[in-house]
Amino acid sequence: MPAGLMLFLGAWGIRRQDAIWRDEAVTYDMAHRGLADVWATLQHVDVVHGLYYVLMHLWFAGYDATLRGAFGDAVGLRLPSVAAMTVAAAGVALLGERLVGRRAGLLAGCTFALIPVVQQYAQEGRSYATVCALVVWASLLLVPAAARPRRKLWLGYTALMLFACLLHEFASLALPAHGAAVILARLPRRVLRSWLLAAVTVLAGLAPLAVFSTRQSAQISWLMWPDPVQLLTFAVLAVLGIACTRVRIRSRGPIGLRALGLPLLLLPTLLLLLLSHVEPAYVDRYVLYYVVGFALLAGAALARLLRPPGELGQTRGRRLRWTMTVVLIVAVLVPVNVHLRSPDSRVDDVTAIAHALREVAEPGDGLLFMPSRRRIWRATLPRDFRGLHDLALAESPLASHTLYGTERSGEAIRSRMLSVRRIVVAGDPDGQPVDDNDQEIAKRTTLREAFGICRSTQVRGARITVYARPGACGGGG
């Protein structure tokens, strides 16, 4: 049932009106490059997602040949994440059953599927759903490995955790949570030694990637202090999860529910927040798997509180109140779930931006992206940009082995801008900070001094503005 529920929720509204946001556009672009070009690009940028891009390249090789014509690019980007979250929900249910019982597992898996952030990343063309699934199944192997240590179980645990970490480095923050579970369960030292050996092996396998990726740390320079909404989401789930531990729950096996659920809920996020004091690095999706801890604790608590009155000594009225509370929570989540399936749920909409630009542009117009990293907006619909001259571009993303291409000098950009009568600017919406490099200063200064605004259109996450020399606005003036 949890897997079926997650599959339904993942498939519901998966197209999102064919809206694709900028991170998904990066995935699409990288997945459609040749493997040699992917490798060359990773030497300069995005090496932390390299394995995911290779897997998506292999996926799209089959998808484009068979299913793309029927379902489109957006579905192709998201289907692997839907599948991963479905597998994750099944794993949460099995883990809850092994830790507490069948009813607890069923409710834990359904709780996991209903969490909004889980549904969000189930429909995201990025690696986070897959990482979450791998951590869930690694946790599922950890429990029997601790109860009856066997080499195959520890090898499986090590392989899954290493795979998760190679997909995203911050999956390594699940290791301290697993270690805390082993310690809190007061297991024999040989179990702790086996876990330590597995953890060291995982970190040793991750080390080359982690060391190399430090050269590309400028990629997350946009991160400042954590997003308040993300922090509030974590705080609410943490408080509710801790409250669930007050319900009397009888665990099975040597590793108890609290020993695993609480560290998995709290430690990854707290450690990432601590790391952010050294260098800003907190985004909730980096440790998405923390919600597994909440789902396990909530599922076990609900299984206990919703048992028939005769089993628990509750009155029918009390059981009815708990049932109504659960129904109310689900009802409150419906508007959130509907919003997650709309284009407005992401920071921008690459598809809408491309269409808006096509409506206002004329063949032969100049084109500028401000800032240059917004050139990723053209990755999924390059046909909508045909006939326009990218005035700042020196080398394309593919030729330069970068995500956004390389740009000319500020002086060269100014000269090319002055050679055209109209320029279409695809830029950030009002109120966003501006870049202060030579190229962006040249773009802003030249537009202000030599061009006037003909028309401007606001779309999700962007502003499309047509600039023209005096008297050249034409139909847009």
Side-chain angles (χ1 to χ4, degrees), residues 342-357:
S342 73
D344 292 342
S345 64
R346 304 313 196 264
V347 298
D348 60 6
D349 180 354
V350 171
T351 305
I353 293 168
H355 291 169
L357 187 142

Side-chain angles (χ1 to χ4, degrees), residues 2-11 78-93 109 112-124 126-134 136-137 285 287-292:
L5 177 62
M6 187 70 254
L7 181 60
F8 167 75
L9 292 173
R78 295 164 191 153
L79 273 179
S81 293
V82 173
M85 278 304 192
T86 301
V87 171
V92 171
F112 175 81
L114 291 172
I115 297 173
V117 72
V118 169
Q119 296 179 44
Q120 177 180 348
Y121 290 106
Q123 295 187 342
E124 194 102 318
R126 299 296 278 175
S127 64
Y128 309 110
T130 306
V131 171
C132 184
L134 289 168
V136 168
W137 282 83
R285 59 182 178 265
V287 287
L288 176 63
Y289 49 84
Y290 83 87
V291 300
V292 175

